[in-house]
Amino acid sequence: MRLKIFKHNNTVSIWFIIIISEIPFNFFLKNFYNIFSHSYITDIEKTLSVLDHAIGYYGVCQEVEAVVRAEPSGPGGLDGFLEAMNRLYNAQRYFQKNNPSSVELQNITGLFSIGLESLYAEFHDILNRQSRPILPIVLLDLIGSDEDTNGEDAPQSLCQLPESVMSDLLKIAEWLEERGHRRHTKMYASVRSTIVLRSLLLLKEHQRSASGGSTHGGSPMPGAKALEEFAESVRNESGAGLPKDGTVAEGTSNVLIFLEQLAEYADMAGTVLQRNLFTDQSALHSKEPENVHKMVLSVYIKKVLAQLNLALVSKSDASYSDLALRALFRLNNHNYVVNALRRSSLMELLLLAEPSAEQTYYDLLLKDKNNYVTTTFTKARSYLVDEPDLAAKMLKEKFLGFARELEEVTKCQRSYSVPDRCLREELRKELHEAIVPLYTAFYNKYRGTSFSKNPAKYIKYTPDQISTLINTFFDTAA
C-alpha cells in the first residue's frame, strides 16, 4: 500500500492508492480513521509508521519458515532459530489481538507449534547426548574426601555438562519460560533422574564386587584405591575359561568399557588418581597444570592396558594347545583393543604417556596375524615340499596327507570366530595366499603324471576348491 500526501493552504489532502497489498481491505478501513484523525503531516507519518509495523507481521510466516523447519541444528544455529521463533511469537500475539479470525493467524500458529516441538526435541537431545552416569570411583572419592578439603586437593564438581552445552540449555529454557512453556522442566527431571539412578546402580554393583557379593559389606573404598585394585585385578583375575572359538574375551570388553567411561570423566578421574602414590609422578613435571589430569589418566590407562596384554598372553598360553587358535585369540583381542582406543578418546590419552603406542599395537597385530596364518597351514604345507624324483608312493602319500590336513583345518576353522568383518576378510585373503599358490604349483606339476591309475582317489581338491573351503572359515553354518 502506498500513501500520497498533499499539503495546500494549511490543509491536508490525503490520497490512498492501493497498488499491491497483502493486507485485507477491512484492515485498511479499520485504520483509516486513525489517519484522518490527525491534522498534521507529522501525525500522519507516525500513523504510517504504525501501519508499516503492522504490515510486517503479514510476511513473517514466509520469511522464517525455512529457518523454523531446519530446526535449531540448522544452518542458522540455535540463535537464528530463536530469532525466527521470536518473530512468530510476536506476530501471533498481534493477530490474536487485532485479527483473531485471519488466515495469517492460523498459518503462524501452525508454524510456531512446529518450531516449539523442535525446540523441545533439541533440549531433550542435548541432555541425552551429554548426560552420563557418574563413575563409582568418582562418587567414592567424593564420599571419602574431608569436608574441609580445599585447593588443588578439593574433589571435582559433579557438573557433567560443558559450558557451551549449559549455555544452549539455558537459552532454550529461558526462552520457553518467558513465553509460558514449561514442558522442558519435566524433560530435564526425567533425563537427569535416570542418570542419577544409573549412577547409583553402578555404585551398588561396584560395592557388591568389592565386598564379596554383599551390598552392605564394609564402608566404600576410596576411589584411588579402587582404581589401583582394578589395575592389579586385570592381570591376576582368573575368571572363567577363555572362549573356545577364540573370540574376544569378556574380560577384554569389560576393561575397555571401563576405560572408556574413565576417559569421559578425564578431569575427575585424573584428580582421583593424582592423590594415589602408585601413579608415576615424574611424568607430570613437564606438563602444564591444565594437562596434568589427562597425563595422570594416560599413565593409568597405559598401566591397565599393559596388564591386559600380559593377561591375554598368559591365559592363552595356558588355555589353547592349538597354536593357530592361540594366535587367533590374541589377534581378536588386540584388534578389539585397538578399535576401542581409536573410536574413543582413549588413543589420544594413551599417546600422552606412550607416544609410540599406536605403532606398538600395529606391530603386535602384525605379529599375531603372521603367527596365525603360518601355524594354520604348517602341517598341510609340509606335504607340498617338492623333492626331485618323487616316487609314485610318495606322491600318493603327499596328496592324501595334504587332503587330510586340509579337511582337519577346515573343520576347526569353521568353529573359530572372528567378529570383526574387515579382519575376517583380511585373514581369509592371507590364508589363501599362504596355501593356494603353493598347492597350485604342486598340483599342476604332478596331476598329469602316471603315479596312479586312479588319480582322483588321491588328488581330492583342485586349487579353486581350496579357495572355496577357505571362504567357509569362521562360519559355523558352512
Side-chain angles (χ1 to χ4, degrees):
M1 180 173 66
R2 189 167 63 199
L3 192 65
K4 270 194 173 182
I5 305 170
F6 299 92
K7 184 176 181 183
H8 179 67
N9 295 330
N10 295 323
T11 63
V12 178
S13 299
I14 303 175
W15 294 0
F16 291 96
I17 304 175
I18 302 177
I19 301 176
I20 297 176
S21 175
E22 296 178 357
I23 301 178
F25 189 68
N26 61 351
F27 169 82
F28 171 75
L29 292 177
K30 181 178 179 180
N31 290 276
F32 187 82
Y33 173 78
N34 292 331
I35 297 172
F36 276 93
S37 65
H38 299 286
S39 302
Y40 299 98
I41 292 178
T42 54
D43 293 329
I44 294 174
E45 288 174 345
K46 290 180 181 179
T47 303
L48 290 177
S49 177
V50 172
L51 283 173
D52 285 339
H53 179 70
I55 291 170
Y57 290 126
Y58 283 85
V60 167
C61 231
Q62 290 182 339
E63 292 169 8
V64 305
E65 183 174 9
V67 176
V68 173
R69 292 191 182 278
E71 302 182 347
S73 57
L78 179 60
D79 289 338
F81 184 87
L82 290 178
E83 182 181 350
M85 289 293 289
N86 274 336
R87 294 186 63 188
L88 283 175
Y89 177 76
N90 292 333
Q92 185 182 47
R93 293 184 66 190
Y94 173 82
F95 285 111
Q96 285 172 343
K97 179 180 179 181
N98 295 287
N99 198 1
S101 61
S102 66
V103 174
E104 285 79 8
L105 178 58
Q106 295 177 19
N107 294 337
I108 287 171
T109 300
L111 188 58
F112 183 82
S113 297
I114 292 172
L116 191 62
E117 290 305 314
S118 294
L119 207 53
Y120 278 130
E122 181 72 5
F123 187 87
H124 188 269
D125 289 346
I126 291 175
L127 274 179
N128 264 345
R129 286 196 305 268
Q130 299 294 334
S131 297
R132 301 180 184 89
I134 304 296
L135 293 178
I137 58 105
V138 175
L139 291 175
L140 290 172
D141 191 68
L142 289 170
I143 292 171
S145 298
D146 293 332
E147 292 184 0
D148 58 350
T149 302
N150 51 47
E152 293 183 359
D153 292 331
Q156 286 283 312
S157 166
L158 286 182
C159 180
Q160 299 171 276
L161 303 176
E163 288 186 12
S164 60
V165 172
M166 284 295 294
S167 175
D168 285 348
L169 288 175
L170 286 172
K171 281 181 185 178
I172 296 173
E174 288 173 359
W175 192 93
L176 291 169
E177 284 284 347
E178 288 173 1
R179 289 153 186 81
H181 300 282
R182 296 183 175 85
R183 184 151 43 105
H184 63 288
T185 58
K186 292 184 178 180
M187 288 182 177
Y188 186 88
S190 175
V191 172
R192 299 302 287 175
S193 63
T194 300
I195 294 301
V196 171
L197 179 59
R198 288 174 60 191
S199 300
L200 292 175
L201 288 174
L202 286 174
L203 179 61
K204 180 180 178 182
E205 289 300 317
H206 179 82
Q207 288 184 273
R208 177 185 287 120
S209 62
S211 58
S214 171
T215 58
H216 304 287
S219 59
M221 295 181 297
K225 183 66 175 176
L227 283 174
E228 182 179 5
E229 291 185 355
F230 174 80
E232 294 301 325
S233 71
V234 170
R235 181 181 179 183
N236 299 327
E237 183 186 34
S238 57
L242 298 185
K244 294 180 180 180
D245 59 0
T247 191
V248 178
E250 183 180 359
T252 302
S253 174
N254 290 340
V255 168
L256 268 298
I257 290 173
F258 179 75
L259 291 180
E260 286 175 358
Q261 291 176 332
L262 276 183
E264 291 175 358
Y265 300 94
D267 288 341
M268 287 188 282
T271 300
V272 172
L273 287 163
Q274 196 173 357
R275 301 195 192 110
N276 203 13
L277 295 178
F278 81 88
T279 302
D280 182 9
Q281 300 292 325
S282 63
L284 308 178
H285 295 325
S286 61
K287 300 297 175 183
E288 296 294 329
E290 60 268 22
N291 293 327
V292 168
H293 293 155
K294 288 186 177 181
M295 186 63 196
V296 172
L297 181 57
S298 175
V299 173
Y300 178 77
I301 291 171
K302 175 184 174 182
K303 177 177 181 176
V304 171
L305 291 176
Q307 298 287 63
L308 176 61
N309 186 53
L310 289 172
L312 292 174
V313 172
S314 61
K315 290 179 182 179
S316 59
D317 282 343
S319 300
Y320 301 119
S321 58
D322 182 346
L323 296 180
L325 181 56
R326 184 185 302 175
L328 183 63
F329 170 79
R330 294 177 184 176
L331 178 59
N332 272 329
N333 283 265
H334 288 142
N335 183 66
Y336 179 88
V337 171
V338 171
N339 287 339
L341 293 176
R342 288 174 175 167
R343 71 170 176 255
S344 65
S345 60
L346 284 173
M347 181 63 82
E348 181 182 349
L349 284 169
L350 178 60
L351 291 174
L352 294 176
E354 188 61 50
S356 62
E358 201 158 11
Q359 182 62 45
T360 299
Y361 271 109
Y362 175 82
D363 294 340
L364 196 58
L365 288 174
L366 187 61
K367 177 183 176 182
D368 292 336
K369 191 185 303 178
N370 288 338
N371 286 342
Y372 166 71
V373 172
T374 301
T375 54
T376 295
F377 287 125
T378 297
K379 292 182 180 179
R381 287 172 62 91
S382 68
Y383 289 101
L384 301 179
V385 176
D386 200 3
E387 301 172 18
D389 302 322
L390 281 173
K393 182 180 180 181
M394 183 63 71
L395 279 174
K396 292 176 183 178
E397 290 178 357
K398 281 182 174 291
F399 275 112
L400 284 177
F402 175 82
R404 183 174 59 251
E405 287 301 326
L406 178 65
E407 290 165 1
E408 182 63 27
V409 166
T410 301
K411 179 182 177 182
C412 292
Q413 294 290 329
R414 283 175 176 171
S415 67
Y416 296 164
S417 175
V418 180
D420 186 309
R421 181 182 60 82
C422 292
L423 179 60
R424 187 164 61 243
E425 294 305 317
E426 187 178 342
L427 289 179
R428 286 171 177 165
K429 180 180 178 181
E430 294 200 16
L431 288 168
H432 179 279
E433 293 173 354
I435 194 66
V436 174
L438 184 62
Y439 179 75
T440 300
F442 192 86
Y443 173 85
N444 288 338
K445 182 176 181 179
Y446 293 108
R447 66 171 177 165
T449 62
S450 56
F451 70 92
S452 172
K453 294 180 180 180
N454 185 15
K457 178 180 178 181
Y458 303 97
I459 305 177
K460 295 187 176 183
Y461 297 97
T462 66
D464 287 342
Q465 288 174 323
I466 294 176
S467 295
T468 301
L469 285 177
I470 291 174
N471 288 334
T472 67
F473 286 12
F474 324 123
D475 185 358
T476 56

